[in-house]
Amino acid sequence: MVKYHLVVLVHGLWGNPTHMDYIESQVLDKIQPADEELVVYKTGSHSGYLTYDGVDINGKRTSDEILEQTNALSQEGNKVTKLSIIGYSLGGLISRYAVGILYSQGYFDDIDPVNFITFCTPHVGVLHPMNHSISVRLFNNFAPYFLAHSGSQMFLKDMVSKTQKPLLVVMADVNSYFYKVLKLFKHKSLYANVVNDKRAAFFTSAITAIDPVNSMINQSADNLQMTYIKGYEPIVVDIEKPLKYEKIADSFVPANRKSQSRLTRAVGWVKVFGSIVLYTPLWVAFFISNSIVQRIRLNNRVSNFLQDASNNLHHLYDQLSDDPIQLKEEETHNTAEEEEESERATLLEKFEDLGDRIQEQQYSVVESVYSVMNNNDAAIDQEKNPESGQVSVMNLNADQKFIISSLNTLGWNKYPVVIRNSKHSHAAAIVRFHDPNFDEGKVVIDHLVNEVFQLE
């Protein structure tokens, strides 16, 4: 009998299985168990625009894939005895939902859950905590519309009917299948970018209520003081040692810094408007001709999915209906108007056939607007901590605080990552595609296969 350790790789938003190719190659090349066979499987049922359908629906699709793969391997007396999952970006949330479904089905009664690992995953959602800024408020209110159902869930604007809470809050509840199954995994680890990850900021990917590295505005590793894990410096950070943000002293900056700063911001806006002028005609043409079609496709997909009785997910929330979420009564959540508005969210799609590079460029325009609007230290509240220096005050809402508090009881091994050679640190951290500027990500994956992934 062959015993299999099934390793499932789950890609993120707008993704496809090829995004996980480098991780797959390194796991297969460098992890060689003696008494079992390692099988790596990349999920594909939620690729491309299917990622817009929601964490829950894609979680069900992914759990179905895992079951199918498990059954395929369990032939002629062979058996899957262990399961590990590596989720990237949104794929980390989809993975958490998928294993919750498997747990409810008794999958882990005779299969050992070993590793649960996430890269750049927005565990706390992507609602920007600094809502005192006009630009941030605009971002928080309008960005969800670009991501359909998944956007509503990641911005905590959805509502699970049985609990009247956002899905990510439900998934963090200690009574939920999603929380209970994570407790079963022997090794829970996460990687979080310290700089230049605007899709999954440090606070959400590292599940923390503080931001000692000032990641919300800092774009330079030169402003950071930290200790690195031996053999993986200067990329993988030792979180057990002090992490400190300290802006480079003014004495090292030219006297005309203020005028240069204004010039830098002006140049930044010129670049932003140039990008908008270049891409807006394409976007407008696409939105007019294709957004309606894509919305119909999404609605049809979700409708057909829910009509299949085997896809009923309501039982996953039954254990929460009598005592939902255990939050204090005075803590506030989304208003009924916001929840109703999220149900009517319009799907705004991007060009489907232009490939990864064009897709990255489109999102970069949004990121550039966001960066320029927030490229001002005065917009960030600071408080002095004698041990860690200047720390960004995280203006979190009750839902975000609950998620962080609950998930941190699970005992994660956390690994901050510093990517210097590419502004696209979200993609570089896993070497999402071939790019010489992503070589630092290869060090991160070396750390994964050499130090983090366990066979028992």
Side-chain angles (χ1 to χ4, degrees), residues 414-432:
K414 300 182 179 182
Y415 302 102
V417 172
V418 181
I419 301 292
R420 293 172 171 81
N421 295 335
S422 174
K423 292 295 184 181
H424 297 293
S425 61
H426 192 77
I430 66 159
V431 195
R432 202 167 76 191

Side-chain angles (χ1 to χ4, degrees), residues 123-363:
H123 290 284
V124 193
V126 295
L127 186 72
H128 200 294
M130 294 182 291
N131 57 17
H132 60 280
S133 166
I134 294 177
S135 60
V136 169
R137 292 179 183 178
L138 290 172
F139 176 79
N140 284 340
N141 284 307
F142 286 102
Y145 291 100
F146 287 84
L147 306 174
H149 298 321
S150 295
S152 295
Q153 292 166 348
M154 288 191 292
F155 278 84
L156 308 180
K157 293 183 180 297
D158 68 311
M159 180 184 67
V160 176
S161 59
K162 282 197 173 185
T163 66
Q164 304 296 302
K165 307 295 180 185
L167 179 64
L168 296 192
V169 175
V170 171
M171 289 171 63
D173 189 282
V174 296
N175 295 316
S176 72
Y177 293 129
F178 314 104
Y179 179 94
K180 291 177 180 178
V181 70
L182 284 182
K183 288 186 68 176
L184 293 181
F185 279 87
K186 296 179 180 178
H187 310 284
K188 292 172 284 290
S189 305
L190 60 82
Y191 290 86
N193 277 315
V194 171
V195 293
N196 295 319
D197 194 333
K198 298 178 179 65
R199 303 189 189 187
F202 181 76
F203 87 94
T204 186
S205 54
I207 316 177
T208 178
I210 62 172
D211 189 12
V213 293
N214 207 13
S215 66
M216 306 307 294
I217 63 166
N218 180 49
Q219 300 180 32
S220 174
D222 294 337
N223 293 326
L224 304 176
Q225 298 181 22
M226 54 189 66
T227 303
Y228 300 93
I229 294 177
K230 186 176 181 180
Y232 304 95
E233 60 268 66
I235 297 169
V236 184
V237 178
D238 186 348
I239 202 169
E240 299 298 325
K241 305 293 177 60
L243 287 79
K244 184 178 180 182
Y245 166 81
E246 187 170 327
K247 194 165 186 178
I248 298 175
D250 289 343
S251 58
F252 297 101
V253 180
N256 60 347
R257 175 189 171 190
K258 290 185 177 180
S259 61
Q260 287 183 345
S261 179
R262 287 193 294 268
L263 177 61
T264 299
R265 286 195 292 272
V267 171
W269 277 115
V270 170
K271 291 181 179 179
V272 167
F273 285 125
S275 297
I276 292 174
V277 168
L278 176 62
Y279 284 97
T280 294
L282 300 177
W283 287 349
V284 170
F286 177 81
F287 291 153
I288 292 175
S289 63
N290 197 45
S291 63
I292 295 176
V293 173
Q294 291 297 336
R295 184 179 182 184
I296 292 173
R297 289 178 179 175
L298 181 144
N299 289 338
N300 287 339
R301 286 198 305 268
V302 173
S303 178
N304 292 335
F305 177 91
L306 296 176
Q307 286 176 9
D308 186 340
S310 66
N311 290 328
N312 191 315
L313 304 174
H314 293 299
H315 70 283
L316 297 172
Y317 314 118
D318 286 343
Q319 75 277 20
L320 303 176
S321 58
D322 293 332
D323 186 20
I325 310 306
Q326 301 178 355
L327 287 180
K328 295 180 180 179
E329 291 293 329
E330 64 270 23
E331 292 180 338
T332 59
H333 298 277
N334 298 316
T335 66
E337 290 79 7
E338 289 174 327
E339 293 161 353
E340 186 175 335
E341 182 179 353
S342 70
E343 294 294 327
R344 300 193 302 267
T346 303
L347 174 62
L348 298 178
E349 303 278 8
K350 292 181 171 63
F351 287 97
E352 189 165 3
D353 301 320
L354 298 184
D356 280 342
R357 299 298 182 133
I358 297 300
Q359 194 173 69
E360 289 290 337
Q361 182 60 43
Q362 289 176 328
Y363 200 91

Side-chain angles (χ1 to χ4, degrees), residues 368-381:
S368 297
V369 174
Y370 190 64
S371 296
V372 173
M373 295 175 83
N374 288 280
N375 189 19
N376 186 344
D377 288 349
I380 308 301
D381 295 331

